[in-house]
Amino acid sequence: MKTKLLTAMLLLGCSSAMADTSLLVFGASHHGSCDSTRYRCDLNNSNPGLGLELAEPMVDYSLFVRGGSYRDSRRETAYFVAGGGRTEWEVSKDMVVGAGVMVGYLNGSGMHGLAGLPFVTVGGKLLQLEIGYVPEIHWKDRMMPATTTFNLRWQID
C-alpha cells in the first residue's frame, strides 16, 4: 500500500507541469509530559522518513497534497496522505516564514484515521523547516502527549 501510494504521487508529480514538487524529509519530534502510571510513555524522538508534496504555485497562498512514511515515536512505520494549505511572507531577500494546516489519513503515531496538523515554516525559498504542533490527545483508553514535529521541505523544481 505504501509503495503504491508513493508511486502514484511520483507519477502525478511527473505529469503535472503546473505543480511545485517538494521532497519531505522527516526527522524528529518532541513530546510533552506523559503519565507513565496510566499510559505507555516510552516514546522515541527520532522519526526518520520521506515523503512527496505537490503544490500549486504560490500566489497569496498555496494548496497542496502530500504523502509519506516515517518511523513514528512508537517505533513503528507510519504512513499518511493529506491535503492542506499554507501562506508565506518574505522577511528578507533570502528568508521566508509561513503558516499552514493539513488534514488527511494517518496510519501510525497512535492514530488510524482522520488527523490534522497545523504548522509554521522558516527558511529559504526552496528549503524550509516545518514545525508542527499537536496538543495532548486523550482518546478511549489512549493518551498521546503534546507533540512538536520537525521536518524539512525541499522544493525540487
Side-chain angles (χ1 to χ4, degrees), residues 58 60-62 85-89 97-100 121:
M58 183 70 70
D60 292 332
Y61 64 92
S62 179
R86 81 173 142 264
T87 190
E88 295 176 350
W89 301 276
V97 296
T121 62

Side-chain angles (χ1 to χ4, degrees), residues 4-43:
K4 290 179 184 176
L5 174 67
L6 290 175
T7 302
M9 289 188 71
L10 283 170
L11 290 174
L12 182 59
C14 293
S15 66
S16 178
M18 296 300 287
D20 289 337
T21 304
S22 296
L23 176 66
L24 306 170
V25 180
F26 307 114
S29 62
H30 175 72
H31 303 283
S33 62
C34 179
D35 181 0
S36 60
T37 62
R38 296 181 58 199
Y39 304 105
R40 179 179 163 212
C41 298
D42 181 28
L43 300 172

Side-chain angles (χ1 to χ4, degrees), residues 32-90:
S33 62
C34 179
D35 181 0
S36 60
T37 62
R38 296 181 58 199
Y39 304 105
R40 179 179 163 212
C41 298
D42 181 28
L43 300 172
N44 180 20
N45 292 326
S46 176
N47 309 112
L50 294 173
L52 187 68
E53 176 185 284
L54 300 174
E56 67 177 345
M58 183 70 70
V59 185
D60 292 332
Y61 64 92
S62 179
L63 299 176
F64 61 83
V65 294
R66 60 170 56 177
S69 180
Y70 59 95
R71 187 86 171 148
D72 70 17
S73 296
R74 298 171 188 269
R75 296 168 182 81
E76 300 170 349
T77 300
Y79 59 92
F80 74 95
V81 62
R86 81 173 142 264
T87 190
E88 295 176 350
W89 301 276
E90 190 171 328

